[in-house]
């Protein structure tokens, strides 16, 4: 609950008779708090008006999609705006898969909140370094072909837009750049996409889903549908195949998890406090 001490300081100076209206977006983790005066009786009105600031204070928790969209349309000349967030920038997350392979520079997808450095970006760069490390490990002498194949097996869990886009970016990165730097292992590279549903991109039209699956298979990208991941270890990923009703394990060099997001802990805490 230490987070809420920051919120308390952000709205410090207001009397106890204030009413706090909380609005939040569970999907993106953004949260907005707006304080307004509320008098319990006429006796307190004069004193309360003397304590009121000239502007109403708006507290925005988080610099994600919800918080940033709210700030873009907010007239800051009318409000005293406070932003509380672990980072001072907004990252355009749809382009993160492109950052992992260097198609787009990390600095191109972040915008400082002061004008509208950088954890989601850090994750994308870490993925890129891991891909290269897998190739570096695979070309070390003294390894068996099976060990090289394990190091060069890249698994993407989740067949949604992020997973599919990352798989396509990774394929281009491998076949347009890395195979020329590591020609001795180019035939051992394998990319797999694991989807728990019966199709990738199942939130889109069936024709789009079918086209993506056919394109992946033509390119040699393995598509495993109706498979639910049970556990992931350093070298193995365990999953249950719904069609066969049995568990299988496959080795990997790197796993990228892209199955969606859950509610932020801070939002859960607020929901509990508000009994939502």
């Amino acid at each position: 609950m230490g987070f809420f001490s920051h919120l308390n300081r952000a709205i410090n100076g207001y009397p106890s008779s204030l009413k706090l209206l909380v609005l939040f977006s569970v999907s993106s983790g953004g949260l907005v708090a707006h304080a307004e005066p509320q008098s319990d009786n006429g006796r307190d009105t004069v004193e309360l008006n003397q304590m009121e600031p000239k502007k109403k204070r708006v507290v925005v928790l988080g610099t994600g999609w919800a918080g940033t969209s709210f700030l873009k349309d907010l007239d800051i000349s009318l409000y005293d705006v406070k932003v509380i967030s672990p980072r001072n920038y907004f990252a355009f997350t749809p382009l993160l898969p492109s950052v992992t392979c260097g198609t787009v520079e990390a600095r191109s997808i972040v915008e400082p909140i002061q004008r509208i450095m950088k954890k989601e970006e850090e994750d994308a760069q870490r993925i890129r370094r891991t891909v290269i490390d897998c190739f570096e490990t695979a070309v070390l002498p003294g390894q068996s072909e099976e060990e090289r194949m394990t190091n060069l097996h890249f698994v993407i869990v989740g067949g949604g837009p992020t997973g599919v886009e990352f798989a396509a970016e990774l394929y281009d990165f491998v076949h347009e750049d890395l195979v020329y730097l590591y020609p001795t292992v180019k035939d051992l590279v394998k990319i797999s996409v694991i989807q728990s549903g019966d199709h990738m991109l199942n939130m889109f039209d069936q024709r789009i889903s079918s086209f993506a699956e056919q394109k992946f298979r033509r390119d040699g990208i393995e598509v495993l549908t109706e498979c639910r991941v049970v556990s992931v270890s350093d070298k193995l990923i365990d999953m249950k195949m719904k069609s066969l009703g049995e568990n299988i394990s496959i080795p990997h060099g790197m796993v990228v998890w892209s199955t969606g997001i859950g509610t932020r802990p801070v939002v859960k805490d607020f929901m509990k406090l508000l009994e939502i």
Side-chain angles (χ1 to χ4, degrees), residues 15-20 35-41 44 48 52:
S16 59
S17 57
L18 291 186
K19 175 179 66 177
L20 184 65
E36 290 184 343
Q38 176 181 338
S39 176
D40 294 333
N41 52 61
D44 299 331
L48 181 58
E52 270 192 312

Side-chain angles (χ1 to χ4, degrees), residues 7-21:
L7 178 60
N8 183 53
R9 288 196 294 270
I11 60 176
N12 188 29
Y14 283 78
S16 59
S17 57
L18 291 186
K19 175 179 66 177
L20 184 65
L21 174 63

Side-chain angles (χ1 to χ4, degrees), residues 218-238:
R218 285 199 303 270
D219 290 340
I221 299 176
E222 182 181 39
V223 179
L224 301 171
T225 57
E226 296 189 327
C227 295
R228 182 174 296 276
V229 174
V230 178
S231 64
V232 180
S233 64
D234 290 342
K235 288 299 179 182
L236 290 175
I237 181 166
D238 299 320

Side-chain angles (χ1 to χ4, degrees), residues 180-194:
Y180 299 105
L181 297 175
Y182 307 93
T184 59
V185 294
K186 64 179 182 179
D187 296 329
L188 304 179
V189 180
K190 183 178 180 181
I191 301 173
S192 298
V193 178
I194 300 176

Side-chain angles (χ1 to χ4, degrees), residues 205-224:
D205 186 274
Q206 177 64 39
R207 291 171 295 180
I208 296 177
S209 175
S210 298
F211 175 82
E213 291 181 359
Q214 292 171 10
K215 178 67 167 62
F216 274 16
R217 291 188 172 110
R218 285 199 303 270
D219 290 340
I221 299 176
E222 182 181 39
V223 179
L224 301 171

Side-chain angles (χ1 to χ4, degrees), residues 27 55 58 70 95 133 173 176 192 229 239 248:
S27 61
K55 296 180 182 179
V58 176
F70 178 80
L95 287 180
D133 287 344
F173 183 40
E176 294 178 8
S192 298
V229 174
M239 57 187 180
I248 63 170

